[in-house]
Amino acid sequence: MKYTLLAWFCLLFFCRSGFGQEPVQYTPNKINQFKFVPLPAIGSNPANGWMFGLAPSATWYMGDPQTTKLSNLVGNILYTTKKQWIFSVRSNIFLNENDWILVGDWRYFITSQPTFGLGSSSPNEASQDPYFREPPGVLWGEQQMNFRLLRFYETVLKRISDSNFYLGIGYHLDIHSRIENFLDEPISAPEEVFTHNAYNLSNGFDTESYALSGLTLNAVYENRDVPVSPYERNFALISYKVNPTFLGSDQSSSTLLLDYRHYFNLSERRKRHLIGFWAYGNFLVSGKLPYMNLPALTWDMFGRTGRGYAQGRFRGESMLYSEVEYRFPLQKNKETFGGTLFLNANSFGNEFNQENLLNQVNLGYGLGLRVMINEKNRTTITIDYGFGREGNSGFYLNINESF
């Protein structure tokens, strides 16, 4: 399964200089030193066809840059030749003196996407799942889905004293609706054989729409120098989510998300020369989740896990992911161009096809180019090509580093 995302760089000159004037004085909790990158985008993949639109991003400070970290926002406004719409806004805002962090993830999709079944061993081509217990004949491998997704995630974190530790609470809402399952080939198949439907029916969920609404308790250690493109230090997140029915969830459940990132400098003179490490885990702790809310590859906040595979290529009730990336400058005395080599691994476990975590580990690897369009804020265009197992591969273009 290939995924491609291309962008035009016709506004590159303007993006390098930014829009708006830098203020002489910095006002606490007001937007200062605002930079906007209105990047036009053209994309194509088998699920969406050709996509046209914008992939804008912005960076700014909510206080003095000497004492306040850089805030950032990344958006997508895309329309496809299959009459699909993709809207998203994701933000990480540091208030004055880094006393508060506001984290947002808002999305509305009218879209389609293949799903490949549960676990880490699913094949590319559709076939009968040999492990699914009930009912028999459930498909495994590529199955197409049409659906709509409304997502509203917002988290507020408060700094603890003068440390880099934060505690906070968030509200997370996902509503999937108008779900349809089908195969690309004209094969007549009962609805129950699609993995999505079989899983949901077995767990008491509707097959056409469902909601997951919950509160998160969050602990964060934010020690990166510049979160959008770190050169050093580390980041950690622990997020426990409770999804009660009285908040609108179809069934009660709870999940645990763990995220750790570390950056090791290889040169004191060129801090851009580094090795980055990322460890990520997402686990169902109690209850049941609807199929599309199960942990899945590339469904993290910025969609950066699993380069080399399509979004949703692997899915399960528990997920482990890790990645190591070597980043280096390509110019002797300038920071405009850089490169990267990366290696990642993922594993999924779930009860229904009786696959445990680490029974199967899927590797991805690749290389990339970096173009820094604003050196002071480290706003960077990232271009990567990744390879996975059994012919999976993908070409990716994004704003800012993968992690």
Side-chain angles (χ1 to χ4, degrees), residues 306-341:
R307 281 176 291 177
Y309 296 96
Q311 187 178 54
R313 177 59 183 85
F314 300 107
R315 186 184 305 271
E317 294 166 352
S318 54
M319 169 186 178
L320 285 175
Y321 180 82
S322 63
E323 182 161 351
V324 61
E325 184 170 82
Y326 172 46
R327 301 174 188 170
F328 49 91
L330 291 176
Q331 297 165 288
K332 186 175 181 179
N333 297 311
K334 295 183 179 181
E335 299 297 334
T336 304
F337 293 100
T340 183
L341 301 172

Side-chain angles (χ1 to χ4, degrees), residues 114-119 122-123 126-129 132 134-135 137-145 179 181-183 189-203 206-207 210 290-292 294 315-316 350 352-353:
T115 182
F116 293 81
L118 299 171
S122 59
S127 62
Q128 183 175 331
D129 188 340
F132 207 91
E134 188 70 28
V138 172
L139 290 174
W140 211 24
E142 185 172 359
Q143 305 154 59
Q144 298 296 330
M145 295 180 63
I179 302 170
N181 297 270
F182 62 97
L183 297 174
E191 283 291 303
E192 292 78 7
V193 307
F194 292 101
T195 309
H196 169 270
N197 291 354
Y199 176 90
N200 273 14
L201 290 171
S202 297
N203 286 288
D206 191 79
T207 60
Y210 38 79
Y291 185 86
M292 289 297 288
L294 291 170
R315 186 184 305 271
N350 67 95
F352 272 89
N353 69 4

Side-chain angles (χ1 to χ4, degrees), residues 97-259:
E97 306 288 337
N98 302 321
D99 284 340
W100 295 83
I101 306 177
L102 310 178
V103 182
D105 182 359
W106 309 347
R107 310 184 194 187
Y108 182 65
F109 293 171
I110 305 174
T111 188
S112 59
Q113 184 179 104
T115 182
F116 293 81
L118 299 171
S120 302
S121 304
S122 59
N124 291 334
E125 302 299 328
S127 62
Q128 183 175 331
D129 188 340
Y131 303 107
F132 207 91
R133 297 181 311 198
E134 188 70 28
V138 172
L139 290 174
W140 211 24
E142 185 172 359
Q143 305 154 59
Q144 298 296 330
M145 295 180 63
N146 291 328
F147 63 94
R148 297 191 180 190
L149 168 63
L150 174 65
R151 168 170 291 184
F152 178 82
Y153 289 4
E154 195 66 40
T155 302
V156 179
L157 300 158
K158 178 67 175 72
R159 188 176 184 181
I160 306 304
S161 187
D162 293 327
S163 71
N164 291 319
F165 287 97
Y166 294 80
L167 295 176
I169 189 169
Y171 174 68
H172 288 197
L173 172 67
D174 281 317
I175 300 176
H176 288 87
S177 61
R178 301 192 184 186
I179 302 170
E180 297 176 336
N181 297 270
F182 62 97
L183 297 174
D184 283 334
E185 299 181 4
I187 299 175
S188 177
E191 283 291 303
E192 292 78 7
V193 307
F194 292 101
T195 309
H196 169 270
N197 291 354
Y199 176 90
N200 273 14
L201 290 171
S202 297
N203 286 288
F205 291 104
D206 191 79
T207 60
E208 296 182 359
S209 64
Y210 38 79
L212 189 69
S213 175
L215 299 175
T216 58
L217 301 176
N218 306 277
V220 170
Y221 180 65
E222 177 54 90
N223 195 36
R224 296 172 292 184
D225 55 339
V226 177
V228 299
S229 183
Y231 284 172
E232 55 188 340
R233 301 195 291 272
N234 52 354
F235 166 88
L237 164 68
I238 300 175
S239 181
Y240 182 69
K241 183 181 178 186
V242 180
N243 307 299
T245 54
F246 67 79
L247 281 181
S249 297
D250 289 8
Q251 295 186 33
S252 295
S253 62
S254 63
T255 59
L256 177 65
L257 175 65
L258 306 173
D259 189 336

Side-chain angles (χ1 to χ4, degrees), residues 24 38 44 51 66 72 74 81 110-111 116 140 144 214 219 230 236 258 260-262 267 330 339 393 396:
V24 176
S44 175
M51 298 181 290
Q66 299 298 320
N72 72 93
V74 177
T81 53
I110 305 174
T111 188
F116 293 81
W140 211 24
Q144 298 296 330
L258 306 173
Y260 180 75
R261 311 174 188 198
H262 205 115
S267 170
L330 291 176
S393 63
Y396 310 87

Side-chain angles (χ1 to χ4, degrees), residues 50-61:
W50 283 95
M51 298 181 290
F52 304 89
L54 294 172
S57 72
T59 58
W60 68 94
Y61 292 97

